Amino acid sequence: MPDQYRTEERTLSGQDTSNPNCLLALAKYHLTRRRDGDDTAPKTLSKRSYSKSNGVDGRGGKSSVHRALFVPEIVRLIFGFVQAWDEENPAGECIGFVTATGGKRSLAYLARTCRFFHEPAIDALWTNLESIDPLIKLLPRRMWGKKRCPLLVRRFMRKKHWEIFQKYASRVKTLRGPSYGLSTATQHTVMAAIASHPKATRPLFPQLTEIVWREIRMFHRTEPCVSLLKYFMGPSVTQITLKLNCWPYHITSEMDVLAEMSKLCPNVVSFAAQFPPSSHSDPFEEVGDIVSNWKKLRALHSCALPQSVMDQLISRNTLESLAIELNNSIYPPYSGRLPESLHTFSLGGSSAIVCTRYLKNVHASPTSLTMRIGADDSTIEDVAELFRILPDHFSNTTVQTFSSELTSSYWMSRSTESFRLDLAVLQPILVFTSLRTVDLSFFSTAGLDDDACTTMARSWPVLESLELGTADILMERPVATVRGLMAFLVHCPCLTNLAMVFDGTCRIPDASDIPSGVVNTRIKQINVAHSPLKDVNAMATCLGTLMPCLKKVDIVQIGREDDGEPEGRWDEVQKMLTCSLRSQGINTD
């Protein structure tokens, strides 16, 4: 082996193998090494020789690739990690509702590396489609390129074009739609042309298991998109999510497809149908007719359903997750006890009063409880009344996760309002002593002092995750200090996730004033959001003493006029904590 290859091999072997993109460098190295039979410089790979690569060294027939990579299951597992790694692109460009990432490139490179990698890489490349654009654009441009006159698009399809479409469509397992780059009329024409091919059978995606369909255009009367679902729905589909933002203005062809959904997809186990909060006529009867035919339904997210439908779903004892959305429409009430199989219950309403009214005769014992409250039509008194009745309708020994979100009463977005919590409002929640996760991040903590934090911490001894005031839209100045934070560390020894707003400008204890038992080595990251701060050194010393393994401090990048941009001071705290850990030989990456 030439010296240059030995050097390169040692370099590659020392890379971080947790990064799936390391596989790309290894593949490139093996290709170059195999093609070079002597000590000369690496030869340029022609397109033909590159595409015919099979990972076998021409010198004696020995493999130049680790033999583990010849196991199909291992290769598919690695490519799955590559796909997940590539799709996590925080700096991705957002185009419409699709985030454009460079994530498909790695899989495309791997598909061209050798013949053994080709099929697994192509499978991973086409498993998840953000829209049907890539498949449509595999076809001749004459079929989809005429945007102004879609009715003039030629519907004739040759055999080779059908084979190309089928080759990739048969690999799709998750589809999001409709297309954002082509008109709905063009999509209808192309799908009709494909479906009319002699060898075509519906569904056009035989391996499809999940559909996520979102309406985005308000001129749907001229460009209805829901009726496109008839080309994709089939017995292999098990998960359906519909975001019907244009309800109730759907045409007959769209309503017919929705009515046939349970027949076309008989094996659905998860169904979600979301309607605009401003809707005054939720289709509870239509949705009830659909879901009542699914015998194996385990997760349901929809509007309120009639009593008869709810009784039928509960009698099957298969429902594990239930989310009910109460919009501004008249909804059917429900009276009874939810099944013991139900682990997650979520209730959302245009106001706290609506939620309180719906829970009047509902009883359940879930492990996770979420309330989504429309803040525009609510007051803090309404929220307090909703919290007050929760212990009467949900078991205080089984609920382990509690979350309360503030949403808009009229739009599908977060609220522009916030409510100030105090101990009196939270008193009913303290009854749930088995809570492990509490999320009250949307509320203001300006009414919670150190004593209130101590009472909360003592009520939740097994708490593992706490979010308190970090998403307050009004960013009110907190009252609790570092001593309130210390109360959770003292009384909640299992705490691993902490996101809390507190006043860092006063009552910062010295390291000598902190009791020896007040140490949490589980927490490695905290979120202080808009917490004010003045003394950087004292805060860094205090947090480092309380949480010796703390590596990261998250903040909100919005300063206050009276605090002089506290985010800059929190950045200094972050640097001091990082330096302290590195001096102890602890990795901070």
PDB file of all heavy atoms in Angstrom, residues 491-517:
ATOM      1  N   HIS A 491     -35.834  19.961  46.280  1.00  0.00           N
ATOM      2  CA  HIS A 491     -36.985  19.077  46.503  1.00  0.00           C
ATOM      3  C   HIS A 491     -37.298  18.176  45.308  1.00  0.00           C
ATOM      4  O   HIS A 491     -38.173  17.305  45.431  1.00  0.00           O
ATOM      5  CB  HIS A 491     -38.211  19.923  46.845  1.00  0.00           C
ATOM      6  CG  HIS A 491     -38.045  20.766  48.068  1.00  0.00           C
ATOM      7  ND1 HIS A 491     -38.026  20.230  49.343  1.00  0.00           N
ATOM      8  CD2 HIS A 491     -37.856  22.112  48.219  1.00  0.00           C
ATOM      9  CE1 HIS A 491     -37.852  21.206  50.231  1.00  0.00           C
ATOM     10  NE2 HIS A 491     -37.753  22.358  49.573  1.00  0.00           N
ATOM     11  N   CYS A 492     -36.627  18.383  44.181  1.00  0.00           N
ATOM     12  CA  CYS A 492     -36.853  17.551  42.988  1.00  0.00           C
ATOM     13  C   CYS A 492     -35.516  16.954  42.560  1.00  0.00           C
ATOM     14  O   CYS A 492     -34.902  17.418  41.583  1.00  0.00           O
ATOM     15  CB  CYS A 492     -37.474  18.361  41.859  1.00  0.00           C
ATOM     16  SG  CYS A 492     -38.986  19.242  42.313  1.00  0.00           S
ATOM     17  N   PRO A 493     -35.027  15.929  43.225  1.00  0.00           N
ATOM     18  CA  PRO A 493     -33.696  15.391  42.930  1.00  0.00           C
ATOM     19  C   PRO A 493     -33.584  14.716  41.567  1.00  0.00           C
ATOM     20  O   PRO A 493     -32.476  14.503  41.086  1.00  0.00           O
ATOM     21  CB  PRO A 493     -33.470  14.379  44.063  1.00  0.00           C
ATOM     22  CG  PRO A 493     -34.837  13.999  44.516  1.00  0.00           C
ATOM     23  CD  PRO A 493     -35.685  15.224  44.345  1.00  0.00           C
ATOM     24  N   CYS A 494     -34.727  14.374  40.952  1.00  0.00           N
ATOM     25  CA  CYS A 494     -34.693  13.702  39.643  1.00  0.00           C
ATOM     26  C   CYS A 494     -34.723  14.677  38.478  1.00  0.00           C
ATOM     27  O   CYS A 494     -34.800  14.260  37.315  1.00  0.00           O
ATOM     28  CB  CYS A 494     -35.868  12.736  39.524  1.00  0.00           C
ATOM     29  SG  CYS A 494     -35.887  11.426  40.769  1.00  0.00           S
ATOM     30  N   LEU A 495     -34.671  15.968  38.753  1.00  0.00           N
ATOM     31  CA  LEU A 495     -34.798  16.982  37.707  1.00  0.00           C
ATOM     32  C   LEU A 495     -33.643  16.887  36.712  1.00  0.00           C
ATOM     33  O   LEU A 495     -32.471  16.934  37.093  1.00  0.00           O
ATOM     34  CB  LEU A 495     -34.829  18.369  38.354  1.00  0.00           C
ATOM     35  CG  LEU A 495     -35.416  19.517  37.524  1.00  0.00           C
ATOM     36  CD1 LEU A 495     -36.887  19.243  37.204  1.00  0.00           C
ATOM     37  CD2 LEU A 495     -35.273  20.838  38.270  1.00  0.00           C
ATOM     38  N   THR A 496     -33.989  16.742  35.424  1.00  0.00           N
ATOM     39  CA  THR A 496     -32.973  16.663  34.367  1.00  0.00           C
ATOM     40  C   THR A 496     -33.117  17.760  33.327  1.00  0.00           C
ATOM     41  O   THR A 496     -32.176  18.051  32.599  1.00  0.00           O
ATOM     42  CB  THR A 496     -33.054  15.305  33.648  1.00  0.00           C
ATOM     43  OG1 THR A 496     -34.383  15.128  33.120  1.00  0.00           O
ATOM     44  CG2 THR A 496     -32.743  14.166  34.595  1.00  0.00           C
ATOM     45  N   ASN A 497     -34.301  18.369  33.236  1.00  0.00           N
ATOM     46  CA  ASN A 497     -34.535  19.457  32.275  1.00  0.00           C
ATOM     47  C   ASN A 497     -35.142  20.635  33.011  1.00  0.00           C
ATOM     48  O   ASN A 497     -36.190  20.500  33.650  1.00  0.00           O
ATOM     49  CB  ASN A 497     -35.468  18.987  31.156  1.00  0.00           C
ATOM     50  CG  ASN A 497     -35.788  20.113  30.182  1.00  0.00           C
ATOM     51  OD1 ASN A 497     -34.889  20.793  29.687  1.00  0.00           O
ATOM     52  ND2 ASN A 497     -37.066  20.319  29.899  1.00  0.00           N
ATOM     53  N   LEU A 498     -34.488  21.783  32.928  1.00  0.00           N
ATOM     54  CA  LEU A 498     -34.945  22.961  33.657  1.00  0.00           C
ATOM     55  C   LEU A 498     -34.966  24.165  32.725  1.00  0.00           C
ATOM     56  O   LEU A 498     -33.944  24.538  32.136  1.00  0.00           O
ATOM     57  CB  LEU A 498     -34.034  23.240  34.855  1.00  0.00           C
ATOM     58  CG  LEU A 498     -34.401  24.454  35.728  1.00  0.00           C
ATOM     59  CD1 LEU A 498     -35.799  24.297  36.306  1.00  0.00           C
ATOM     60  CD2 LEU A 498     -33.377  24.639  36.840  1.00  0.00           C
ATOM     61  N   ALA A 499     -36.139  24.759  32.574  1.00  0.00           N
ATOM     62  CA  ALA A 499     -36.318  25.990  31.798  1.00  0.00           C
ATOM     63  C   ALA A 499     -37.177  26.923  32.653  1.00  0.00           C
ATOM     64  O   ALA A 499     -38.385  26.713  32.792  1.00  0.00           O
ATOM     65  CB  ALA A 499     -36.980  25.705  30.464  1.00  0.00           C
ATOM     66  N   MET A 500     -36.554  27.946  33.213  1.00  0.00           N
ATOM     67  CA  MET A 500     -37.240  28.773  34.203  1.00  0.00           C
ATOM     68  C   MET A 500     -36.741  30.205  34.125  1.00  0.00           C
ATOM     69  O   MET A 500     -35.552  30.460  33.958  1.00  0.00           O
ATOM     70  CB  MET A 500     -37.005  28.196  35.609  1.00  0.00           C
ATOM     71  CG  MET A 500     -37.591  28.996  36.727  1.00  0.00           C
ATOM     72  SD  MET A 500     -37.253  28.238  38.339  1.00  0.00           S
ATOM     73  CE  MET A 500     -37.876  29.502  39.435  1.00  0.00           C
ATOM     74  N   VAL A 501     -37.669  31.135  34.246  1.00  0.00           N
ATOM     75  CA  VAL A 501     -37.334  32.559  34.278  1.00  0.00           C
ATOM     76  C   VAL A 501     -37.235  32.990  35.737  1.00  0.00           C
ATOM     77  O   VAL A 501     -38.113  32.687  36.548  1.00  0.00           O
ATOM     78  CB  VAL A 501     -38.405  33.390  33.548  1.00  0.00           C
ATOM     79  CG1 VAL A 501     -38.083  34.868  33.629  1.00  0.00           C
ATOM     80  CG2 VAL A 501     -38.513  32.953  32.092  1.00  0.00           C
ATOM     81  N   PHE A 502     -36.157  33.690  36.082  1.00  0.00           N
ATOM     82  CA  PHE A 502     -35.977  34.175  37.446  1.00  0.00           C
ATOM     83  C   PHE A 502     -35.206  35.494  37.405  1.00  0.00           C
ATOM     84  O   PHE A 502     -34.577  35.844  36.391  1.00  0.00           O
ATOM     85  CB  PHE A 502     -35.240  33.145  38.311  1.00  0.00           C
ATOM     86  CG  PHE A 502     -33.887  32.765  37.781  1.00  0.00           C
ATOM     87  CD1 PHE A 502     -32.743  33.450  38.177  1.00  0.00           C
ATOM     88  CD2 PHE A 502     -33.746  31.717  36.883  1.00  0.00           C
ATOM     89  CE1 PHE A 502     -31.499  33.106  37.687  1.00  0.00           C
ATOM     90  CE2 PHE A 502     -32.505  31.360  36.388  1.00  0.00           C
ATOM     91  CZ  PHE A 502     -31.381  32.059  36.796  1.00  0.00           C
ATOM     92  N   ASP A 503     -35.258  36.212  38.501  1.00  0.00           N
ATOM     93  CA  ASP A 503     -34.566  37.495  38.614  1.00  0.00           C
ATOM     94  C   ASP A 503     -33.128  37.240  39.062  1.00  0.00           C
ATOM     95  O   ASP A 503     -32.883  36.857  40.212  1.00  0.00           O
ATOM     96  CB  ASP A 503     -35.299  38.386  39.613  1.00  0.00           C
ATOM     97  CG  ASP A 503     -34.750  39.815  39.630  1.00  0.00           C
ATOM     98  OD1 ASP A 503     -33.718  40.063  38.957  1.00  0.00           O
ATOM     99  OD2 ASP A 503     -35.343  40.680  40.302  1.00  0.00           O
ATOM    100  N   GLY A 504     -32.190  37.457  38.156  1.00  0.00           N
ATOM    101  CA  GLY A 504     -30.790  37.221  38.467  1.00  0.00           C
ATOM    102  C   GLY A 504     -30.044  38.446  38.926  1.00  0.00           C
ATOM    103  O   GLY A 504     -28.805  38.433  38.971  1.00  0.00           O
ATOM    104  N   THR A 505     -30.790  39.494  39.269  1.00  0.00           N
ATOM    105  CA  THR A 505     -30.122  40.736  39.685  1.00  0.00           C
ATOM    106  C   THR A 505     -30.024  40.875  41.200  1.00  0.00           C
ATOM    107  O   THR A 505     -29.392  41.825  41.680  1.00  0.00           O
ATOM    108  CB  THR A 505     -30.878  41.954  39.128  1.00  0.00           C
ATOM    109  OG1 THR A 505     -32.218  41.981  39.658  1.00  0.00           O
ATOM    110  CG2 THR A 505     -30.949  41.899  37.616  1.00  0.00           C
ATOM    111  N   CYS A 506     -30.633  39.969  41.947  1.00  0.00           N
ATOM    112  CA  CYS A 506     -30.616  40.114  43.400  1.00  0.00           C
ATOM    113  C   CYS A 506     -30.595  38.749  44.072  1.00  0.00           C
ATOM    114  O   CYS A 506     -30.976  37.733  43.473  1.00  0.00           O
ATOM    115  CB  CYS A 506     -31.825  40.920  43.891  1.00  0.00           C
ATOM    116  SG  CYS A 506     -33.422  40.192  43.480  1.00  0.00           S
ATOM    117  N   ARG A 507     -30.127  38.717  45.284  1.00  0.00           N
ATOM    118  CA  ARG A 507     -30.134  37.538  46.150  1.00  0.00           C
ATOM    119  C   ARG A 507     -29.416  36.348  45.529  1.00  0.00           C
ATOM    120  O   ARG A 507     -29.889  35.220  45.577  1.00  0.00           O
ATOM    121  CB  ARG A 507     -31.565  37.148  46.526  1.00  0.00           C
ATOM    122  CG  ARG A 507     -32.359  38.241  47.235  1.00  0.00           C
ATOM    123  CD  ARG A 507     -33.731  37.759  47.632  1.00  0.00           C
ATOM    124  NE  ARG A 507     -33.634  36.692  48.643  1.00  0.00           N
ATOM    125  CZ  ARG A 507     -34.688  36.027  49.116  1.00  0.00           C
ATOM    126  NH1 ARG A 507     -35.901  36.313  48.661  1.00  0.00           N
ATOM    127  NH2 ARG A 507     -34.538  35.085  50.028  1.00  0.00           N
ATOM    128  N   ILE A 508     -28.268  36.610  44.934  1.00  0.00           N
ATOM    129  CA  ILE A 508     -27.465  35.513  44.406  1.00  0.00           C
ATOM    130  C   ILE A 508     -26.584  34.989  45.531  1.00  0.00           C
ATOM    131  O   ILE A 508     -25.693  35.700  46.023  1.00  0.00           O
ATOM    132  CB  ILE A 508     -26.590  35.980  43.227  1.00  0.00           C
ATOM    133  CG1 ILE A 508     -27.467  36.554  42.107  1.00  0.00           C
ATOM    134  CG2 ILE A 508     -25.746  34.829  42.696  1.00  0.00           C
ATOM    135  CD1 ILE A 508     -26.687  37.080  40.932  1.00  0.00           C
ATOM    136  N   PRO A 509     -26.777  33.779  45.983  1.00  0.00           N
ATOM    137  CA  PRO A 509     -25.993  33.272  47.110  1.00  0.00           C
ATOM    138  C   PRO A 509     -24.548  32.974  46.705  1.00  0.00           C
ATOM    139  O   PRO A 509     -24.269  32.584  45.563  1.00  0.00           O
ATOM    140  CB  PRO A 509     -26.731  31.990  47.511  1.00  0.00           C
ATOM    141  CG  PRO A 509     -27.407  31.547  46.257  1.00  0.00           C
ATOM    142  CD  PRO A 509     -27.766  32.799  45.503  1.00  0.00           C
ATOM    143  N   ASP A 510     -23.639  33.173  47.650  1.00  0.00           N
ATOM    144  CA  ASP A 510     -22.243  32.794  47.424  1.00  0.00           C
ATOM    145  C   ASP A 510     -22.115  31.275  47.489  1.00  0.00           C
ATOM    146  O   ASP A 510     -22.987  30.568  47.997  1.00  0.00           O
ATOM    147  CB  ASP A 510     -21.345  33.439  48.478  1.00  0.00           C
ATOM    148  CG  ASP A 510     -21.362  34.960  48.372  1.00  0.00           C
ATOM    149  OD1 ASP A 510     -21.549  35.462  47.248  1.00  0.00           O
ATOM    150  OD2 ASP A 510     -21.193  35.626  49.411  1.00  0.00           O
ATOM    151  N   ALA A 511     -20.987  30.782  46.981  1.00  0.00           N
ATOM    152  CA  ALA A 511     -20.752  29.338  47.002  1.00  0.00           C
ATOM    153  C   ALA A 511     -20.738  28.808  48.431  1.00  0.00           C
ATOM    154  O   ALA A 511     -21.168  27.677  48.698  1.00  0.00           O
ATOM    155  CB  ALA A 511     -19.442  29.022  46.291  1.00  0.00           C
ATOM    156  N   SER A 512     -20.263  29.634  49.373  1.00  0.00           N
ATOM    157  CA  SER A 512     -20.208  29.188  50.770  1.00  0.00           C
ATOM    158  C   SER A 512     -21.584  29.145  51.417  1.00  0.00           C
ATOM    159  O   SER A 512     -21.786  28.451  52.420  1.00  0.00           O
ATOM    160  CB  SER A 512     -19.296  30.129  51.579  1.00  0.00           C
ATOM    161  OG  SER A 512     -19.766  31.470  51.498  1.00  0.00           O
ATOM    162  N   ASP A 513     -22.550  29.892  50.834  1.00  0.00           N
ATOM    163  CA  ASP A 513     -23.899  29.931  51.400  1.00  0.00           C
ATOM    164  C   ASP A 513     -24.792  28.817  50.866  1.00  0.00           C
ATOM    165  O   ASP A 513     -25.916  28.648  51.346  1.00  0.00           O
ATOM    166  CB  ASP A 513     -24.558  31.277  51.104  1.00  0.00           C
ATOM    167  CG  ASP A 513     -23.809  32.431  51.764  1.00  0.00           C
ATOM    168  OD1 ASP A 513     -23.145  32.174  52.787  1.00  0.00           O
ATOM    169  OD2 ASP A 513     -23.884  33.559  51.246  1.00  0.00           O
ATOM    170  N   ILE A 514     -24.321  28.069  49.868  1.00  0.00           N
ATOM    171  CA  ILE A 514     -25.131  27.010  49.272  1.00  0.00           C
ATOM    172  C   ILE A 514     -24.925  25.730  50.072  1.00  0.00           C
ATOM    173  O   ILE A 514     -23.785  25.281  50.251  1.00  0.00           O
ATOM    174  CB  ILE A 514     -24.734  26.775  47.806  1.00  0.00           C
ATOM    175  CG1 ILE A 514     -24.974  28.049  46.986  1.00  0.00           C
ATOM    176  CG2 ILE A 514     -25.509  25.608  47.214  1.00  0.00           C
ATOM    177  CD1 ILE A 514     -24.530  27.939  45.544  1.00  0.00           C
ATOM    178  N   PRO A 515     -25.990  25.124  50.587  1.00  0.00           N
ATOM    179  CA  PRO A 515     -25.840  23.867  51.348  1.00  0.00           C
ATOM    180  C   PRO A 515     -25.175  22.789  50.496  1.00  0.00           C
ATOM    181  O   PRO A 515     -25.347  22.732  49.277  1.00  0.00           O
ATOM    182  CB  PRO A 515     -27.288  23.514  51.709  1.00  0.00           C
ATOM    183  CG  PRO A 515     -28.036  24.806  51.641  1.00  0.00           C
ATOM    184  CD  PRO A 515     -27.383  25.604  50.570  1.00  0.00           C
ATOM    185  N   SER A 516     -24.446  21.937  51.155  1.00  0.00           N
ATOM    186  CA  SER A 516     -23.685  20.912  50.434  1.00  0.00           C
ATOM    187  C   SER A 516     -24.577  19.938  49.681  1.00  0.00           C
ATOM    188  O   SER A 516     -24.175  19.370  48.668  1.00  0.00           O
ATOM    189  CB  SER A 516     -22.796  20.133  51.419  1.00  0.00           C
ATOM    190  OG  SER A 516     -23.603  19.533  52.434  1.00  0.00           O
ATOM    191  N   GLY A 517     -25.786  19.718  50.140  1.00  0.00           N
ATOM    192  CA  GLY A 517     -26.672  18.771  49.480  1.00  0.00           C
ATOM    193  C   GLY A 517     -27.377  19.318  48.260  1.00  0.00           C
ATOM    194  O   GLY A 517     -28.012  18.572  47.511  1.00  0.00           O
TER     195      GLY A 517
END
